[in-house]
Amino acid sequence: MTTSTTRPDPASAPPSDAAIAAATKNAGDESLAPQSTRIMGRTSYLLAWFGGCVSIGTFTMGSSVVGTLNLIQATVAIAIGCFVIGIALAVNGAAGYKYGIPFMVQARSAFGFQGTRLPGLIRAVPAIVWYGFQSWIGAGALNLVSATLFGYDNLIVFFIGFQFLQIALSVLGFQGIKWLENIGSAFILASLVYMFYSTVVRYGDVLSANLLTMEGSWGMPFWGATMLFLGIYSTMMLNVSDYSREHKEGTGPGLLTTIYAMSILPCTLFMGLIGYMVSEATGVADPIKVFANAVDNTPLLMTTLLFIAFAQVTTNVLNNVVPPTYVLMDTFKLGYRKASIIVGLLAFATFPWELVKDESAAGLQVFVQTYSAFLGPIFAVLVVDYYLVRRRTLDLAKLYDENGPYRGVNPAALIATVVGVVAAFSVSTVSWYASLIPAGLTYLLLMRYWQGCRRFTE
């Protein structure tokens, strides 16, 4: 792959039109064009994933397996989930890593230029919803700190200010993400270690009496639990190429899998087990209440609340800004900075103050279950397309040619996705696992034997 100092069109100029990324990459200088300038080495890439994968929902996932699994089973379930995530990220991120292309370009070979709107929408809408939701949680934590220390209580002001801070950080692109995640990782790790230690010290007697002695289950509930923790990152499995294209070349698949798994495992393990143990000891499942119950004085409570706020920033900027931003860039031919600002403003329109209400919990759960059913099938289609149909060889010129063989919609990808979704809803406990083979096999057979899809194999 050749390089050029000519900067590509912000949206998606073909490589044949001097569209390989610039020799240097400035803050916010992102495009959909293949890029040769990689800004993250192995350590930096690991820390970026570590800082960006602090999902407050992990506490709830830990709480949800109380009474079903014992402490050892919960720990093993989290570990298995994280290593499956690592493998999935390495497998689906291979195209982005090799060719320097983002998810929206990678998906064109399977879904077609217009068909790519489906996986793009499936990835973008939940990201924007969680962007607003997590921003509200972060603002709530800051508001509680302010009310406790200074007597100033105004959640709306903190939410607006918090959201505009994240927008300002997001327009810096991966240069900003790199330093935010790398620097923030130390604070996140220290906070989690303390929280885990505090939980064990405070509830040790109750935990030893209940969690280690209960029989639990190694059957379907156990494997269902592995998918709970895996499911938190299933959206990122789709657009992992958005991140892998930033990682410097020279890392093999095995080492990449290790980097992904080991970056995600510590946060998921600490947070999942904290939620699990505190919920068992107190019956509390709410994330902020979990933190509040695990500390015993105001300064430490303030520290943990600040951790919650900071965690929302690192997670949002990496996970919930980049995917919908690239979707807007692809769909409306916008530049990165303008698209990222629009995404930040759209987060206001999710009305997160309504989503956090108790009466909204059922609807939010249905929303999560619905979009999650599409994640496994789309993942399967992308992987089968790259490894079995394309045999790990992509023609970049065709991927950027709107009038080429990938024009329009590939019906095979849409049919396979529907088949996978039906399978996912049929076995909801392990929906992500259950959808993979039906979706992948359907796509492979259609691509090989349906003449209507022949041009997509040219």
Side-chain angles (χ1 to χ4, degrees), residues 308-382:
I308 289 179
F310 187 75
Q312 304 320 298
V313 177
T314 58
T315 301
N316 276 339
V317 172
L318 183 71
N319 300 350
N320 296 328
V321 172
V322 173
T325 296
Y326 280 161
V327 171
L328 290 180
M329 291 170 64
D330 180 59
T331 304
F332 300 105
K333 312 305 179 188
L334 300 175
Y336 179 84
R337 295 184 180 183
K338 183 181 294 185
S340 64
I341 292 173
I342 292 174
V343 168
L345 296 177
L346 286 174
F348 283 109
T350 63
F351 306 107
W353 48 90
E354 294 293 333
L355 298 177
V356 298
K357 292 181 178 179
D358 291 339
E359 57 267 29
S360 300
L364 192 61
Q365 184 176 10
V366 171
F367 171 69
V368 172
Q369 290 174 340
T370 301
Y371 81 72
S372 295
F374 288 83
L375 300 178
I378 293 174
F379 171 85
V381 168
L382 292 176

Side-chain angles (χ1 to χ4, degrees), residues 42 50 166 188 193 220 242 320 333 375 402 421-422 429:
R42 291 170 184 170
F50 179 90
Q166 292 181 107
I188 289 172
V193 169
M220 187 61 75
D242 292 342
N320 296 328
K333 312 305 179 188
L375 300 178
E402 295 188 40
V421 170
V422 172
T429 305

Side-chain angles (χ1 to χ4, degrees), residues 266-326:
C267 284
T268 306
L269 192 62
F270 277 127
M271 298 178 77
L273 291 183
I274 290 171
Y276 176 74
M277 292 187 292
V278 173
S279 183
E280 168 63 25
T282 68
V284 175
D286 179 79
I288 295 183
K289 291 181 180 178
V290 164
F291 271 111
N293 277 278
V295 297
D296 51 13
N297 61 59
T298 299
L300 293 176
L301 176 59
M302 295 303 99
T303 300
T304 54
L305 289 172
L306 289 173
F307 163 75
I308 289 179
F310 187 75
Q312 304 320 298
V313 177
T314 58
T315 301
N316 276 339
V317 172
L318 183 71
N319 300 350
N320 296 328
V321 172
V322 173
T325 296
Y326 280 161

Side-chain angles (χ1 to χ4, degrees), residues 111 118 373-374 377-378 381 412-422 439:
F111 287 86
L118 172 64
F374 288 83
I378 293 174
V381 168
L414 298 186
I415 293 172
T417 299
V418 171
V419 170
V421 170
V422 172

